[in-house]
Amino acid sequence: MVADLLLKYPQSHLINYIYKCQTEEIIIGHEITQQHDLLLEHFSDPDIRVDFTEANKRIKFIEEKCKHSEAPFAGKPFLLGLFQKAFIESIYIFYIYDQEIYDRHTDDERSKSKELSCDYGWVRKHQDVLLLVARKNGKTPLIAALCLAEFFCGEKGTKALCSSNDYAQADLAFQAINAMREESPALEKVTRKNIKGIFFGNPKNPKRKGKFSYANKGNILKISAKTGAKEGKNIRVGMADEIHEMKDKTPIMPIRQALSTQDNPVYFELTTEGFVNDGYLDERLKEARQVLNRELERPRWLIWLFTQDSEAEVWQNEASWVKSNPGLGFIKKRSFLRSMIEESKTSNSTRAFVMSKDFNFKQNNASAWLMSDDINNTETFNIEDFRGCFAIGSVDLSKSGDLASARVTIMKKGSRKKYTLQKYFIPESKIADLNKDDKEKFLDWIRKDLVTISPGNENDFSLITAWFVGLYKDYGLRIYKVGYDKWSAVYWVKEMEDMGFECIRVDQSFGSMSEPMKLVEADLKGKLLNYGDNPIDRYCLENTALNINSKAEIMPVKIQSKENKKIDGSVTMIIGYRIYIDNRSEFIRLVEGS
């Protein structure tokens, strides 16, 4: 069938692309194949017209008028790859008849209609477009170029809106559009940009008439999920970038509804996979896959999901990487992807990010942090060997209901290895609330003096202060600084400072916790962190998951389904490492001089 269509439409990039995919000259995943099968049926559907005029117009506009603005392609023409041309064609070559739109227009308007795309009653079949593709495959520049093409090649008065979950991301898409406009003298000559957006009309030629004058009220604006007053807009082109960060459809629906008055609107959603569980993207992908499986009817929805068929093939077959990275080789560097795969083999946080962003595998946003081999370390040490040494203190405080943890991190002169000594605290009343397995563990740890009981219902923070003071009195440990979390700490910090300790608050956020958490992981893997084979530390590490954001930053959380377990020991390790990283040079100097 495809070969016959290629003879009938030799100029079609879409058919040529599908043909090369079917002959395995181009490797694609199962979900792209499903969309191709749906598109092929359109060519034989008597209710669908096929016309390449508008698709060719936009492809020609992009390749002749648009230029890249960022290295390594800055200043070069925007030459589209075959998969990009096929994607554009799939949007613009199929038309269906809509009686409602025909009835809305007068006989005079209908008689003036010449071209198919303006032939009242016939409209583009695909008006809602979802593009899921791995990062750095040119998705934002491609859709930005299409928005600019719509602005110039579409109807007079076309209004476009760039949207994302935050203003910075929305601005990336807007700036990509504007950079292409500025790179082209012909486009820049008939448009202007200000703080509000991009508009037609050149101030140097205010009396000019026609489509490219002030009389054309079309514009390109940007908006974020956090921006108010989204209702009331009337746009023809909508673009929502990185929708994986959206928790629900609230930011999206006003934009989609703003397209409802148009005959030929187009709404683009472009994204990679993300880490938000049960978010907007999860809902959209669930429905999209139902459409591809022919379980759900969404005839106006075009779905391009560049995905792998299995995670195993990523590790075993490099040739399969192109399934989720169609721009591999001419947009995205293969060597970069190889380096990310190698790094993923030794870093769980990198692996989760790469699987999500480079191969479009959904990752639980609370994925397990460490492997058993990373955690299991039976090495111990004698505190007597560290008499008079400098140490960094860290605490994770809890007034009630949770475990409190205190820790010192010590280093020896001439060694990169770190040793931690720890103490845990729990309110007496909370022991009875533990489940059977944990209760037995904690009673054993209490007998071994690994946990100190605070009488009553609350942790007594003065016991933590006494523990730090005792380390100095008994072993001469000199506490350089003490890191603490922000909860329930005001009076305890004052007590510690009265005893001569310098306390530093460590914010429990991605920006603060990511770097030290990664270093703790690396040191555990490299056996450069000796926690004295403390069973509570091991217990906490086993319960700790890593939460990842879109910037590849991580922070500790409890593993899902283990919400009643404790991770306080892991948190104090990370807090201690935060203080170490922020004061590395001075602390090492003290260690080497001691």
Side-chain angles (χ1 to χ4, degrees):
M1 176 183 176
V2 180
D4 293 339
L5 286 174
L6 199 57
L7 292 174
K8 184 177 181 180
Y9 302 106
Q11 79 280 19
S12 173
H13 303 293
L14 176 61
I15 296 173
N16 188 33
Y17 180 66
I18 294 176
Y19 178 77
K20 289 187 175 182
C21 292
Q22 289 191 352
T23 57
E24 297 186 356
E25 182 179 342
I26 296 174
I27 301 173
I28 57 173
H30 174 63
E31 291 178 326
I32 288 292
T33 301
Q34 288 179 302
Q35 179 60 78
H36 287 176
D37 291 342
L38 291 171
L39 291 172
L40 287 173
E41 294 175 5
H42 296 346
F43 287 97
S44 57
D45 190 330
D47 294 326
I48 296 176
R49 286 188 183 179
V50 178
D51 187 282
F52 293 89
T53 305
E54 294 302 309
N56 290 337
K57 184 187 297 184
R58 283 155 180 79
I59 291 172
K60 182 179 180 182
F61 174 88
I62 292 171
E63 294 199 317
E64 293 184 359
K65 299 297 183 182
C66 297
K67 293 184 179 180
H68 293 285
S69 61
E70 296 182 356
F73 307 108
K76 297 180 180 179
F78 198 131
L79 300 179
L80 296 164
L82 180 58
F83 85 93
Q84 294 171 318
K85 292 178 180 179
F87 172 72
I88 294 172
E89 270 195 10
S90 67
I91 301 170
Y92 290 100
I93 68 174
F94 301 112
Y95 295 83
I96 59 174
Y97 185 76
D98 190 322
Q99 184 66 44
E100 180 184 8
I101 291 177
Y102 180 85
D103 292 340
R104 279 171 47 188
H105 296 279
T106 66
D107 291 337
D108 184 55
E109 287 175 326
R110 295 175 197 136
S111 65
K112 292 179 180 177
S113 177
K114 300 292 185 183
E115 298 178 4
L116 174 63
S117 60
C118 298
D119 188 2
Y120 293 118
W122 287 93
V123 295
R124 273 186 292 100
K125 181 180 189 298
H126 297 127
Q127 298 181 351
D128 190 350
V129 181
L130 173 61
L131 173 62
L132 175 77
V133 65
R135 63 173 173 166
K136 303 304 178 184
N137 278 276
K139 65 180 182 302
T140 299
L142 174 62
I143 304 301
L146 270 175
C147 287
L148 194 60
E150 280 295 317
F151 192 53
F152 279 90
C153 302
E155 303 168 20
K156 183 178 179 180
T158 289
K159 294 186 177 183
L161 194 61
C162 305
S163 174
S164 189
N165 197 51
D166 59 59
Y167 194 78
Q169 186 65 45
D171 189 58
L172 286 178
F174 177 83
Q175 293 300 336
I177 295 172
N178 184 58
M180 293 179 196
R181 180 192 70 88
E182 291 181 334
E183 285 289 332
S184 170
L187 304 184
E188 198 272 339
K189 186 178 180 180
V190 296
T191 54
R192 67 190 190 280
K193 172 187 172 289
N194 59 32
I195 195 171
K196 294 182 179 180
I198 299 171
F199 305 86
F200 279 111
N202 190 321
K204 295 180 181 179
N205 193 3
K207 295 183 179 180
R208 178 172 181 159
K209 296 182 180 180
K211 182 176 181 179
F212 304 127
S213 70
Y214 276 84
N216 186 347
K217 300 304 180 184
N219 57 54
I220 303 176
L221 307 177
K222 54 189 171 183
I223 197 170
S224 79
K226 300 176 179 63
T227 306
K230 287 186 270 294
E231 287 79 4
K233 294 186 181 297
N234 182 17
I235 60 175
R236 201 176 74 81
V237 183
M239 171 186 179
D241 197 4
E242 301 298 4
I243 61 172
H244 63 83
E245 295 181 349
M246 297 178 183
K247 295 181 180 179
D248 54 43
K249 63 176 67 174
T250 304
I252 291 296
M253 292 312 297
I255 298 170
R256 296 183 67 182
Q257 290 167 354
L259 298 161
S260 62
T261 64
Q262 303 293 320
D263 292 350
N264 268 305
V266 58
Y267 170 62
F268 298 104
E269 288 183 335
L270 54 153
T271 190
T272 59
E273 259 293 4
F275 301 100
V276 176
N277 283 339
D278 301 320
Y280 175 70
L281 179 59
D282 289 338
E283 179 184 349
R284 288 290 272 177
L285 288 180
K286 180 182 178 180
E287 293 182 349
R289 286 170 173 134
Q290 288 177 326
V291 172
L292 294 178
N293 290 325
R294 303 175 190 258
E295 299 167 356
L296 184 67
E297 285 289 327
R298 293 285 191 275
R300 311 302 293 272
W301 197 7
L302 181 66
I303 302 163
W304 285 65
L305 306 182
F306 287 99
T307 54
Q308 301 290 141
D309 292 323
S310 72
E311 189 169 334
E313 69 181 0
V314 172
W315 306 98
Q316 299 169 5
N317 182 13
E318 182 178 319
S320 74
W321 295 353
V322 74
K323 291 181 181 180
S324 50
N325 294 271
L328 197 62
F330 75 95
I331 299 176
K332 186 172 184 176
K333 294 179 65 175
R334 193 177 294 271
S335 58
F336 167 80
L337 204 48
R338 287 196 193 105
S339 68
M340 289 293 96
I341 287 292
E342 287 304 310
E343 188 176 331
S344 298
K345 294 177 181 178
T346 57
S347 170
N348 291 340
S349 58
T350 300
R351 179 182 177 278
F353 190 82
V354 168
M355 287 298 105
S356 174
K357 296 301 179 183
D358 288 306
F359 295 102
N360 281 328
F361 285 103
K362 175 67 178 179
Q363 300 292 304
N364 190 317
N365 68 345
S367 302
W369 177 29
L370 299 166
M371 306 294 287
S372 296
D373 290 344
D374 304 332
I375 297 171
N376 292 331
N377 185 351
T378 58
E379 189 179 7
T380 60
F381 62 92
N382 190 339
I383 187 60
E384 292 287 349
D385 296 337
F386 293 92
R387 279 192 172 273
C389 287
F390 282 93
I392 290 172
S394 54
V395 296
D396 181 21
L397 302 171
S398 176
K399 193 71 174 175
S400 63
D402 205 356
L403 195 64
S405 173
R407 181 181 306 274
V408 289
T409 302
I410 319 166
M411 294 181 69
K412 284 183 178 180
K413 184 177 180 179
S415 173
R416 292 190 301 133
K417 199 163 189 176
K418 301 172 186 70
Y419 303 80
T420 72
L421 187 68
Q422 54 287 101
K423 193 73 167 183
Y424 290 88
F425 305 83
I426 193 171
E428 182 180 21
S429 65
K430 298 302 177 181
I431 297 175
D433 297 336
L434 297 170
N435 63 48
K436 182 179 179 181
D437 291 339
D438 281 352
K439 187 174 182 179
E440 291 178 0
K441 290 178 182 178
F442 272 85
L443 289 175
D444 182 53
W445 294 334
I446 291 167
R447 285 192 294 269
K448 293 176 179 178
D449 197 29
L450 300 176
V451 181
T452 296
I453 297 178
S454 294
N457 297 316
E458 297 181 333
N459 274 313
D460 182 356
F461 294 162
S462 65
L463 294 176
I464 297 177
T465 304
W467 182 73
F468 280 109
V469 172
L471 290 177
Y472 175 73
K473 289 183 176 180
D474 296 340
Y475 303 103
L477 282 183
R478 291 172 282 180
I479 311 299
Y480 169 61
K481 292 181 181 179
V482 181
Y484 67 94
D485 64 338
K486 62 185 177 181
W487 302 110
S488 310
V490 177
Y491 296 109
W492 177 79
V493 169
K494 185 178 185 305
E495 182 181 65
M496 287 285 285
E497 290 176 344
D498 289 343
M499 299 299 296
F501 295 100
E502 182 181 354
C503 297
I504 307 294
R505 187 172 74 86
V506 175
D507 188 30
Q508 307 294 288
S509 65
F510 284 107
S512 179
M513 301 295 275
S514 182
E515 186 181 6
M517 189 174 180
K518 290 177 180 178
L519 185 55
V520 169
E521 178 184 344
D523 279 358
L524 283 169
K525 289 178 181 292
K527 306 304 178 186
L528 293 175
L529 175 54
N530 182 343
Y531 58 85
D533 196 25
N534 186 289
I536 313 179
D537 277 2
R538 188 182 304 110
Y539 166 83
C540 290
L541 291 169
E542 289 171 348
N543 296 331
T544 305
L546 56 89
N547 193 358
I548 311 175
N549 68 8
S550 60
K551 300 177 183 178
E553 296 173 330
I554 63 175
M555 65 179 294
V557 294
K558 294 179 181 179
I559 289 179
Q560 288 188 346
S561 78
K562 291 189 176 183
E563 286 77 8
N564 293 326
K565 302 293 185 179
K566 314 299 179 185
I567 66 169
D568 306 76
S570 303
V571 173
T572 52
M573 284 186 188
I574 297 166
I575 291 175
Y577 268 61
R578 176 77 271 169
I579 300 298
Y580 167 75
I581 290 170
D582 291 343
N583 303 275
R584 184 186 281 113
S585 297
E586 185 176 1
F587 181 68
I588 294 296
R589 180 176 58 80
L590 292 172
V591 169
E592 295 298 322
S594 60

